[in-house]
Amino acid sequence: MPTLKHGIWGTIIATLLLVPIFLSAPFPIIIVSIFILYVLTYLTLIDLQMFRLPNHATLPLMAAGLLWHLVIARTIAPFDYIYGAIVGYAVIWVLRAYYLKRRNIEAIGLGDAKFLAAAGAWLGWQGLPFVLLTASVSALLIVTIQSFFGKKLDSRTAIPFGPYLCIGFWTVWSSKYVAF
């Protein structure tokens, strides 16, 4: 489990990221953004420490996204978010199955698939490529910096992808709903 120190730093960082939202967004978006950011912070801390994205956080995040669009916000195109959840899960599942067949190694977990399904439920299928692009680029950047500073990395080095997916989710969410 994350230590108290990680929780405090996560809370400080999350709060600082929320400041622009409080300055510009409508009240319902502020409330939803607080929920999303704190869940993303929690998932990041768990994945960094345990290399897993637990169901008790990813599945309610997905359900909340669908509930938001189908019931509360009454989105014009609700199927975009249902498809987003399905496509988000399927993309990671297919990548996982391909890599498992090709290299006989489980390189990505189904927690990542459930998380991307949650991202699709909140952002719609149209937002998923941007989540994956942002996550991949940020992961590559961090790994490159770590390598530059002497961290030994090879094809067997485990890298939690959840924090980068969280960065991608937050980036797309904030660019869609929050004017900075």
Side-chain angles (χ1 to χ4, degrees), residues 28-128:
I29 297 298
I30 292 171
I31 299 303
V32 169
S33 296
I34 290 169
F35 166 74
I36 290 171
L37 192 56
Y38 280 95
V39 172
L40 297 180
T41 302
Y42 174 77
L43 286 168
T44 296
L45 294 171
I46 292 290
D47 202 25
L48 285 172
Q49 190 160 31
M50 300 176 68
F51 288 87
R52 59 185 301 267
L53 295 171
N55 289 342
H56 71 264
T58 56
L59 296 178
L61 182 62
M62 180 175 51
L66 292 173
L67 179 70
W68 169 259
H69 288 292
L70 298 175
V71 178
I72 300 168
R74 295 190 187 135
T75 305
I76 296 171
F79 288 107
D80 286 350
Y81 302 94
I82 295 168
Y83 295 144
I86 294 166
V87 169
Y89 188 87
V91 164
I92 299 294
W93 188 89
V94 167
L95 286 172
R96 180 179 188 264
Y98 173 78
Y99 198 80
L100 184 60
K101 181 177 171 94
R102 186 98 162 118
R103 304 259 334 254
N104 201 27
I105 299 170
E106 286 192 32
I108 193 164
L110 291 178
D112 294 316
K114 293 169 194 163
F115 178 83
L116 199 58
W122 280 101
L123 304 169
W125 64 269
Q126 304 91 331
L128 293 177

Side-chain angles (χ1 to χ4, degrees), residues 128-142:
L128 293 177
F130 300 104
V131 171
L132 287 171
L133 178 64
T134 304
S136 299
V137 169
S138 60
L140 184 59
L141 179 65
I142 296 298

Side-chain angles (χ1 to χ4, degrees), residues 18-25 30 179:
L18 285 169
V19 169
I21 294 168
F22 288 121
L23 298 176
S24 62
I30 292 171

